Amino acid sequence: MKRKLGILISGRGSNMMALVEAARDPACPYEVALIASDKLEAPGLRWASQKRIPTFAQTPKGMPKSEYEERIDAALRACDVEAIALAGYMRLLTDDFVARWRGRIVNIHPSLLPKYKGLDTHARAIEAGDSHGGCSVHIVTEELDGGEVLGQAQVPILPGDTSETLAERVLAEEHRLYPRIVAEWLSR
Ligand code: GRF
């Protein structure tokens, strides 16, 4: 039986697309049961609907955060989701939500954790003179970008790199790394 994965997005959702494409392989241990977003107009939602994948959008505006997350949680459970992948989901989850899904949420972060948690990761790696940037897949805990790292990919920083050029090459690695690590994680 394939494990049912829910994916949370806020934007273009290119990592979500990589996870969806990988799930087409019959040997992939997961299927994508729901793509949910805090943005009604997230471009990734349109793409998912065209692929006939169930989608759910809920704006957090005008309600307490607990109520917003309750609705996301209910939508995930209604689709029998067992594990959640964050893919460019730009909201912090509450401790309560993380506790409900303890050990069952992963995220992809565009740095070689534990370096550069938070935002502007590529600019910070370039500024520090690092030889490599990269991306990490990690378990989501209450600590921002702080949970167990499940896998990483390194990308050399080239002379003249800007955060944009580095981000582009790291993103290509994210699309390879995330489906592979999620598949390994859900096979354990
Ligand atoms: C990626 O850089 C990812 O590492 C970060 O947010 C960005 C999302 O891009 N968490 P996309 O929406 O998956 O295209």
Side-chain angles (χ1 to χ4, degrees), residues 83-155:
I84 300 172
L86 307 182
Y89 181 67
M90 297 308 285
R91 244 161 236 291
L92 290 176
L93 297 169
T94 62
D95 290 358
D96 185 50
F97 188 94
V98 171
R100 280 201 217 180
W101 291 88
R102 166 109 29 233
R104 293 189 292 147
I105 311 175
V106 285
N107 180 40
I108 185 145
H109 181 74
S111 81
L112 296 171
L113 290 172
K115 280 188 159 182
Y116 314 126
K117 297 174 179 178
L119 298 175
D120 299 324
T121 55
H122 304 303
R124 287 153 72 198
I126 292 168
E127 175 66 27
D130 292 358
S131 63
H132 289 75
C135 47
S136 307
V137 177
H138 66 92
I139 298 279
V140 172
T141 63
E142 287 82 352
E143 188 200 338
L144 177 69
D145 302 324
E148 179 196 354
V149 172
L150 302 176
Q152 291 184 315
Q154 293 200 354
V155 174

Side-chain angles (χ1 to χ4, degrees), residues 18-68:
L19 289 166
V20 167
E21 294 298 340
R24 292 168 57 188
D25 181 342
C28 183
Y30 68 83
E31 63 185 291
V32 178
L34 182 69
I35 295 166
S37 183
D38 58 325
K39 294 274 189 300
L40 307 183
E41 303 296 328
L45 286 182
R46 270 199 305 281
W47 183 89
S49 308
Q50 283 161 5
K51 298 268 169 192
R52 308 209 174 284
I53 299 167
T55 61
F56 176 78
Q58 174 66 56
T59 176
K61 288 183 193 146
M63 66 181 72
K65 191 163 188 183
S66 55
E67 168 71 24
Y68 160 73

Side-chain angles (χ1 to χ4, degrees), residues 11-16 87-88 107-110 171 174:
R12 65 190 164 182
S14 70
N15 278 290
M16 172 275 288
N107 180 40
I108 185 145
H109 181 74
L171 193 61
E174 292 180 29

Side-chain angles (χ1 to χ4, degrees), residues 126 157-166 169:
I126 292 168
I157 297 179
L158 305 177
D161 252 342
T162 62
S163 56
E164 288 77 23
T165 58
L166 180 57
R169 294 202 312 285

